[in-house]
Amino acid sequence: MLSITQSSEKVVHAGGMQNTDSEDREQAALVDYPRPPEPSSKKEPEVKQPIDKTAVQPSPSTKPSIKPASTAGTETAKPRASSKPSSTKKPEQKEKKLVAFTFDDGPDSRYTAAILDILKEKGVKATFFVVGQQVEKEPEMLKRIVDEGHAVGNHTMNHKQLPKLTDKQMKQEIDGADKLIENVIGYKPTMVRAPYGAVSDALKTYMKNENRLLVGWNVDTRDWAGTSVADMRSMIKEKTKPGAIILMHSFGGKNIKHTVEMLPGAIDDLIKMGYTFVTADQLASYEEAE
Ligand code: NI
């Protein structure tokens, strides 16, 4: 199976849930899963993480952080059975500038709907990592995501930090969301994204055994934290490299309105820069074909 690794950037997100104005009371009420404290800094986190031999380490920013999990920690593992033989390598794919937009924590009826409208207008396909709690409340919006050609991934049942749970609880968090998603769209998603990017060895092993695709990101808009439209747009422009996975949210408080506002411009920027939008699993397939 494939694993899209976590970024070396600080991956905690979605801490700003303490909105009190009336516009957001409804939103805040819907988000009852816990959020960890906001990271203390917004500066470029170039801090090197200690090497974890069991983890697939992210590559430098010029290279997307996707590797087959079977090669984690070793460069000698054989390709998956489904891999194309190396003789069919497609250089044009290698040169193609691909980018994946990902939207976490929905679906909801406000921002997810607005984001879908924009993606449709721009002809862009994206990936939505949905939370079971929200799928229960907004099954029709999940249906719409799939009907409009986007990819769906599992973002757990209750958006908990999986490494803090027992193995059994961790599996319940993933399996519970799988069931809800499957009830709505008819199949279990292959992709999984851990809340807060918090990944344990137990989770990696579980994903590998289940042949799931664990998806991280390497460009973090910090949209949940109230980053301005202009800052997010210029950051995406600056940090996106071929193969980038960009983290945004389609639910999680009033700041997501900035995401909606920023999106058309960011799409235009990346198209001008020669990027093609793909889903996160498509990005993994391209990587595998190399
Ligand atoms: Ni999340």
Side-chain angles (χ1 to χ4, degrees):
M1 71 145 220
L2 292 173
S3 172
I4 302 180
T5 62
Q6 300 302 326
S7 163
S8 62
E9 295 188 18
K10 193 68 182 161
V11 291
V12 174
H13 70 89
M17 301 310 304
Q18 53 284 75
N19 309 304
T20 50
D21 59 277
S22 57
E23 184 204 13
D24 296 296
R25 204 160 289 147
E26 174 203 355
Q27 291 284 324
L30 289 171
V31 185
D32 51 357
Y33 38 86
R35 304 281 175 157
E38 196 174 323
S40 57
S41 97
K42 283 186 76 170
K43 66 174 187 278
E44 304 306 315
E46 297 301 341
V47 183
K48 294 278 182 290
Q49 290 187 329
I51 300 298
D52 171 1
K53 293 270 185 187
T54 64
V56 183
Q57 291 298 317
S59 312
S61 56
T62 50
K63 188 82 178 122
S65 59
I66 302 170
K67 284 181 184 173
S70 58
T71 64
T74 161
E75 298 303 323
T76 58
K78 289 173 186 165
R80 296 201 318 180
S82 62
S83 296
K84 290 182 178 131
S86 55
S87 58
T88 64
K89 200 189 290 181
K90 294 175 184 168
E92 73 276 12
Q93 284 183 349
K94 201 162 191 176
E95 285 160 23
K96 205 165 186 181
K97 292 166 80 175
L98 303 176
V99 62
F101 272 3
T102 63
F103 298 94
D104 288 10
D105 298 0
D108 79 319
S109 55
R110 184 185 292 175
Y111 300 121
T112 305
I115 287 166
L116 286 170
D117 289 345
I118 294 165
L119 295 175
K120 189 194 269 180
E121 194 201 318
K122 298 285 185 184
V124 165
K125 300 297 182 228
T127 305
F128 290 79
F129 288 94
V130 297
V131 173
Q133 274 185 11
Q134 288 302 118
V135 172
E136 270 182 319
K137 292 169 188 160
E138 302 281 353
E140 289 304 317
M141 195 58 65
L142 176 58
K143 245 180 232 160
R144 185 181 160 193
I145 289 171
V146 171
D147 287 348
E148 295 184 4
H150 305 290
V152 167
N154 179 329
H155 198 39
T156 76
M157 191 62 210
N158 299 296
H159 207 272
K160 291 179 177 166
Q161 295 207 46
L162 298 179
K164 293 188 172 176
L165 305 180
T166 64
D167 282 8
K168 191 182 171 191
Q169 290 168 330
M170 173 191 80
K171 287 176 184 180
Q172 284 171 344
E173 277 293 308
I174 293 166
D175 298 352
D178 277 341
K179 286 200 183 76
L180 286 170
I181 295 167
E182 188 169 8
N183 283 345
V184 176
I185 68 174
Y187 58 90
K188 183 172 105 172
T190 304
M191 290 184 282
V192 176
R193 174 174 276 166
Y196 316 107
V199 176
S200 63
D201 287 345
L203 174 64
K204 280 185 266 184
T205 302
Y206 184 44
M207 294 294 93
K208 188 176 175 180
N209 291 342
E210 296 287 313
N211 214 26
R212 306 291 287 270
L213 199 60
L214 196 55
V215 181
W217 59 85
N218 38 30
V219 177
D220 184 354
T221 59
R222 291 178 54 85
D223 55 350
W224 58 270
T227 312
S228 74
V229 170
D231 283 355
M232 284 197 282
R233 189 170 162 181
S234 60
M235 196 272 270
I236 288 173
K237 232 173 133 174
E238 185 191 323
K239 288 203 165 184
T240 299
K241 306 281 189 255
I245 299 173
I246 300 178
L247 173 64
M248 290 168 277
H249 293 81
S250 75
F251 181 60
K254 67 173 181 179
N255 290 330
I256 306 307
K257 72 185 173 198
H258 291 176
T259 312
V260 174
E261 210 179 309
M262 174 270 293
L263 201 52
I267 291 169
D268 292 346
D269 290 342
L270 292 175
I271 288 172
K272 264 184 213 154
M273 290 162 73
Y275 279 95
T276 299
F277 290 88
V278 294
T279 57
D281 49 349
Q282 287 175 325
L283 207 53
S285 304
Y286 279 113
E287 280 300 299
E288 193 177 39
E290 280 187 8

